[in-house]
Amino acid sequence: MEKEVAILLMSHGDFAKEARNSAELIVGSQRNIQTLGVHLEDELTELGNEMKELIRY
């Protein structure tokens, strides 16, 4: 049985989300890929919490 790889793409703004969308246009929908965009108004603690939540499986 193969193990699935989980990927978290993080970037400034919405780049990670749009990079995932672009990749999925080429290779199709992907499971276990999450994105998180960092914006100027984001709190560091909240970003850490969001990141931890997204990588749980």
Side-chain angles (χ1 to χ4, degrees), residues 1-5 57:
M1 181 192 307
E2 279 187 45
K3 247 183 153 177
E4 290 190 63
V5 177
Y57 61 103

Side-chain angles (χ1 to χ4, degrees), residues 2 4 6-7 9-10 12-13 15-16 20 23 27-31 33 35 37 39-40 42-45 47-48 55:
E2 279 187 45
E4 290 190 63
I7 298 173
L9 296 174
M10 287 183 69
H12 294 279
F15 180 78
R20 178 186 178 171
V27 297
S29 182
Q30 299 296 301
R31 296 183 309 173
I33 297 178
T35 63
H39 300 88
L40 287 175
D42 291 338
E43 296 280 335
L44 187 57
T45 304
L47 283 172
I55 61 175

Side-chain angles (χ1 to χ4, degrees), residues 15-31:
F15 180 78
K17 180 176 82 169
E18 298 307 330
R20 178 186 178 171
N21 290 341
S22 294
E24 288 184 337
L25 284 173
I26 298 166
V27 297
S29 182
Q30 299 296 301
R31 296 183 309 173

Side-chain angles (χ1 to χ4, degrees), residues 6-10 32-36 51-52 54-55:
I7 298 173
L8 174 61
L9 296 174
M10 287 183 69
N32 291 333
I33 297 178
Q34 298 292 331
T35 63
L36 181 60
M51 183 179 69
K52 289 174 186 172
L54 287 171
I55 61 175

